[in-house]
Amino acid sequence: MLAHSPSTHGRSFQSNMDLIEAVTRTRLLTAEIVMASISGANGKSEAEWAAALQASLAAHTELYPTGWYDPPPNGISVLIGKERMGFDSIRKPEFWPRTDIRYSVEIPVIVYVSPVDRASGMFGDFGHTFYEGKDETLRSHFTRGSEAILAIAELSRVGMKFSELHEAAMRTIAEHGFEHAHITTVTPQAGDSNFGHTVPWSDADAAPSSVTFVDLKEQIRLARRFINPEEHYRIPETCAFTVESRLLDPKKPQLPNMFFHVIVTFSKGAKRVLSI
């Protein structure tokens, strides 16, 4: 694990509107980095692709050179093929990027990156399932999955409880023909079933200040509030949270699981969904 020097998160940020802008900027930049990496990914191993993504993050000095969701190493996950995409937790060593599994355009892949903006301490996570092949069954499968996650994001509104959004999310994925696959978490308050979580402090005026990156990562992990049946957090007028799920088709178990991750922001009530 890399050690990073202390930072002064929040001191140059005057309002939570600034923090929402930091989330948005970080997410959009990371999407560009991931999309650019695909063109050179053919033949790369999971580990090589993850290393290339980490190098790209490090080239942007406005970001920390590694992600906050660690493990997997450097806060980056690349999982190639159906077996790997059936993970129950990317934190487990057996689902860290491997050197012996290589990408080709006919194989689907999940890519997840968890970047953090240095100045604000806000993250802009990116997660997506990619498939460049010609199998129309797979293409339709992944398109429907992406549409289901976006539909959940669109249902969110100011004043809605996370427990209500969870209920709506369960209905939505069922309507799209999917089930929400359990993901093991090391954070007890996440619950057995959740569809995402807050970007901590995005509804405040500043993130914690004068902490090391190691400390910040742990504070992010513990400060999240999750979209689960027990969470009564109400979506405020200005905030950011993730909507994400590993989805499976119970009627077609031969098809791979998939993972999609978007970020929803509200700025004085105005909603924006950050996807590709």
Side-chain angles (χ1 to χ4, degrees):
M1 181 182 296
L2 297 176
H4 304 302
S5 58
S7 181
T8 53
H9 306 303
R11 292 185 179 178
S12 63
F13 285 70
Q14 301 303 311
S15 71
N16 53 358
M17 296 290 287
D18 295 319
L19 299 181
I20 298 302
E21 174 56 31
V23 171
T24 301
R25 183 177 62 248
T26 301
R27 164 73 187 215
L28 294 178
L29 173 59
T30 306
E32 292 178 3
I33 288 171
V34 174
M35 297 302 290
S37 76
I38 295 174
S39 62
N42 197 43
K44 283 185 177 177
S45 69
E46 292 178 345
E48 289 169 339
W49 193 344
L53 288 169
Q54 193 274 316
S56 294
L57 286 183
H60 289 272
T61 57
E62 68 268 41
L63 304 178
Y64 283 104
T66 61
W68 72 271
Y69 196 85
D70 177 6
N74 299 319
I76 296 171
S77 180
V78 177
L79 295 168
I80 298 170
K82 178 182 177 180
E83 181 179 351
R84 301 286 284 161
M85 292 164 66
F87 67 93
D88 61 344
S89 173
I90 60 172
R91 290 191 181 276
K92 291 184 176 181
E94 57 263 40
F95 290 108
W96 294 358
R98 284 171 45 170
T99 59
D100 60 336
I101 299 177
R102 296 189 174 275
Y103 177 71
S104 72
V105 295
E106 287 298 330
I107 305 175
V109 57
I110 290 172
V111 179
Y112 169 74
V113 186
S114 58
V116 180
D117 177 64
R118 283 181 181 270
S120 65
M122 295 288 101
F123 67 71
D125 291 11
F126 178 96
H128 200 79
T129 300
F130 295 100
Y131 177 64
E132 299 182 282
K134 298 179 180 179
D135 186 319
E136 290 300 328
T137 299
L138 286 179
R139 294 172 71 90
S140 174
H141 176 63
F142 297 134
T143 297
R144 289 190 301 114
S146 177
E147 289 173 348
I149 296 303
L150 288 173
I152 296 168
E154 292 297 341
L155 287 170
S156 63
R157 65 183 187 277
V158 172
M160 190 181 206
K161 292 181 181 179
F162 269 5
S163 57
E164 295 171 334
L165 183 55
H166 181 276
E167 182 180 359
M170 292 294 285
R171 289 197 306 268
T172 298
I173 63 168
E175 289 167 357
H176 283 78
F178 295 113
E179 288 185 0
H180 179 55
H182 173 70
I183 296 178
T184 303
T185 176
V186 296
T187 307
Q189 62 267 37
D192 292 333
S193 171
N194 74 80
F195 281 91
H197 52 77
T198 56
V199 178
W201 316 293
S202 61
D203 56 358
D205 290 332
S209 62
S210 300
V211 296
T212 66
F213 187 53
V214 171
D215 290 338
L216 179 63
K217 290 192 294 184
E218 182 65 3
Q219 290 188 35
I220 290 172
R221 185 181 74 84
L222 295 175
R224 293 173 294 164
R225 302 183 73 166
F226 290 84
I227 302 171
N228 65 32
E230 288 76 40
E231 179 55 70
H232 298 301
Y233 175 82
R234 289 188 182 272
I235 299 172
E237 288 192 344
T238 299
C239 66
F241 55 90
T242 73
V243 174
E244 55 189 286
S245 178
R246 180 166 65 88
L247 299 173
L248 59 86
D249 187 333
K251 295 182 179 179
K252 299 177 181 178
Q254 73 276 14
L255 295 177
N257 288 191
M258 65 192 110
F259 175 74
F260 293 103
H261 178 298
V262 303
I263 294 180
V264 179
T265 68
F266 283 92
S267 297
K268 293 185 177 179
K271 182 166 75 171
R272 183 177 183 182
V273 178
L274 302 174
S275 60
I276 291 181

